[in-house]
């Protein structure tokens, strides 16, 4: 609980930090862009005065300063329109068009658009027909500064996502270590009583060699030893070896038949020839057992049928475990493999999660719910590469 609370607090702090950075960046950029826009407007006012002076000049006018002011505009796009809306002069505009007429039409449209956006300065002439309009746009620098806060916001959000992902990964790794440690400690603790039970079983065999219950007791003790062995392998990467799926499934059927109600029918649907795939037989047998036990639970005390189906093609071996139980609700299908999810009154909800891990991480296969219908049953499907 403490770890979860800390993760939640860190997430909140990261989101708040991202919001503060984004807002501060937007505010600073807004004022910076506003000041630069006002400065460019002032420059265009001076530029417009220079154009007016150029238009009103005669042969005795010194145009040195006027031409210098006009030529020093290297950044602000500007189009000068006449009273009819035709482009007369332009600077710092990327001309579009393959010929003079197209370029002139483009400049005229651009100037008229800027004029409609109120980005112009009027140059009065001797008559209304001589009036000109200096239409200007924001410089490239201002446009880039206007976009920068959004780029910065995107970078901050990427950082937050990466940080949260790292935290969740760290949490998951710590949880895995806890489960692995718990599993290995359980296997270790089971070792001593199992060894003792094995010894006492041998003593009983010598004392009562004809007792019919002793072989069953011996099977249960060996079963405990197998379970302890499975727990000890959790967290390690057992090496898969070629094994017969038919034998694995037969072991499961034999085990389940002796420990389930007579109302539950175990049906096997195997090919005549053995299906050989590289697996860890002990762990994979546990996966099928877990699916079968869940199927028994899904049928409650009413009984039903569990079908274990095996088939193969050129590149895959396919196992399906089907039951005639109560089925899974559609809203729960995406959660059945999530640790802690269970519809039972008892249990931790770890069986299917561990089964998924064994199939996908240890055997590089796939496990999923092939189909499920309320009141009719569920089919789990496993696909293994050959």
């Amino acid at each position: 609980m403490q770890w979860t609370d800390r993760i939640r607090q860190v997430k909140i702090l990261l989101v708040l930090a991202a919001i503060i950075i984004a807002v501060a960046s937007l505010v600073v950029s807004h004022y910076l862009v506003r000041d630069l826009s006002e400065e460019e407007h002032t420059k265009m006012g001076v530029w417009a005065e220079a154009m007016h002076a150029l238009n009103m000049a005669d042969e005795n006018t010194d145009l040195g300063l006027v031409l210098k002011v006009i030529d020093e505009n290297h950044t602000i796009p500007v189009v000068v329109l006449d009273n009819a809306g035709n482009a007369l002069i332009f600077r710092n505009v990327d001309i579009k068009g393959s010929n003079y007429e197209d370029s002139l039409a483009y400049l005229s449209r651009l100037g008229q658009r800027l004029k409609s956006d109120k980005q112009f300065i009027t140059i009065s002439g001797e008559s209304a027909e001589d009036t000109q309009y200096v239409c200007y746009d924001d410089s490239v620098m201002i446009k880039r500064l206007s976009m920068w806060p959004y780029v910065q916001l995107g970078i901050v959000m990427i950082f937050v996502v990466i940080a949260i992902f790292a935290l969740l990964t760290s949490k998951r790794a710590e949880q895995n270590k806890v489960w692995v440690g718990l599993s290995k400690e359980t296997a270790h603790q089971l070792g001593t009583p199992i060894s003792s039970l094995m010894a006492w079983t041998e003593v009983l065999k010598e004392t009562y060699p004809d007792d019919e219950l002793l072989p069953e007791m011996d099977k249960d003790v060996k079963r405990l030893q197998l379970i302890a062995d499975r727990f000890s392998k959790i967290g390690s990467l057992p090496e898969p070896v070629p094994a017969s799926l038919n034998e694995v499934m037969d072991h499961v059927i034999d085990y389940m038949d002796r420990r389930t109600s007579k109302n539950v029918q175990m049906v096997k649907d195997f090919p005549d020839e053995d299906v050989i795939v590289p697996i860890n037989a002990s762990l994979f047998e546990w996966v099928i057992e877990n699916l079968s036990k869940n199927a028994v639970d899904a049928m409650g005390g009413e009984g039903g049928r569990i079908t274990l189906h095996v088939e193969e093609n050129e590149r895959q071996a396919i196992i399906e475990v089907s039951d005639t139980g109560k089925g899974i609700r559609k809203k729960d299908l995406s959660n059945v493999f999530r640790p802690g999810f269970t519809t039972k009154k008892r249990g931790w909800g770890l069986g299917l999660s561990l089964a998924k891990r064994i199939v996908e991480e240890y055997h590089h296969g796939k496990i999923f719910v092939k189909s499920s219908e309320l009141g009719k049953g569920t089919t789990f499907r496993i696909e293994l590469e050959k």
Side-chain angles (χ1 to χ4, degrees), residues 309-355:
H309 171 79
V310 177
E311 64 177 273
E312 65 176 332
N313 53 41
E314 292 182 357
R315 61 185 186 85
Q316 283 184 329
I318 298 168
I319 305 99
E320 292 183 355
V321 179
S322 304
D323 64 64
T324 57
K326 61 185 179 181
I328 303 172
R329 294 179 298 182
K330 288 186 178 180
K331 69 176 184 177
D332 292 333
L333 287 174
S334 59
N335 295 318
V336 292
F337 294 106
R338 181 171 56 82
F341 176 81
T342 180
T343 58
K344 307 173 189 176
K345 293 182 179 180
R346 299 178 62 184
W348 289 6
L350 296 176
L352 287 177
S353 175
L354 287 173

Side-chain angles (χ1 to χ4, degrees), residues 188-206:
H188 176 71
Q189 293 295 333
L190 286 173
T192 301
I194 289 174
S195 299
S196 178
L197 286 171
M198 292 177 69
W200 281 111
T201 303
E202 294 301 320
V203 171
L204 289 172
K205 285 181 180 178
E206 293 177 2

Side-chain angles (χ1 to χ4, degrees), residues 42-107:
T42 301
K43 288 182 179 179
M44 291 313 302
V46 175
W47 198 87
E49 289 293 332
M51 284 295 301
H52 179 68
L54 181 63
N55 292 337
M56 302 301 294
D58 55 27
E59 64 273 8
N60 297 320
T61 305
D62 183 7
L63 297 177
L65 180 60
V66 171
L67 293 176
K68 182 178 180 181
V69 170
I70 293 173
D71 290 337
E72 281 185 349
N73 176 24
H74 301 296
T75 59
I76 305 173
V78 58
V79 177
V80 179
L81 300 178
D82 62 14
N83 192 49
N86 299 313
L88 300 174
I89 302 171
F90 72 93
R91 288 185 70 85
N92 307 317
V93 177
D94 184 17
I95 299 177
K96 297 181 180 180
S98 57
N99 52 56
Y100 177 77
E101 288 77 11
D102 291 341
S103 299
L104 192 62
Y106 168 74
L107 290 169

Side-chain angles (χ1 to χ4, degrees), residues 246-263:
N246 302 53
E247 291 184 7
V248 170
M249 307 296 271
D250 279 332
H251 290 163
V252 173
I253 291 175
D254 180 63
Y255 175 75
M256 294 296 298
D257 266 342
R258 295 174 180 270
R259 289 161 178 80
T260 54
S261 168
K262 297 299 181 181
N263 295 328

Side-chain angles (χ1 to χ4, degrees), residues 216-233:
E216 294 301 319
M217 184 183 296
D218 187 52
K219 288 181 181 179
D220 285 336
V221 172
K222 289 180 178 178
R223 181 71 185 176
L224 284 173
Q225 189 176 21
L226 177 62
I227 292 171
D229 180 61
R230 290 171 179 170
F231 272 101
S232 68
K233 290 178 179 178

Side-chain angles (χ1 to χ4, degrees), residues 41 112-121 134-136:
H41 179 76
Q112 291 167 12
R113 179 178 64 78
L114 294 172
K115 184 181 177 183
S116 65
D117 292 339
K118 309 301 182 183
Q119 291 183 257
F120 70 95
I121 298 174
V134 177
C135 306
Y136 61 93

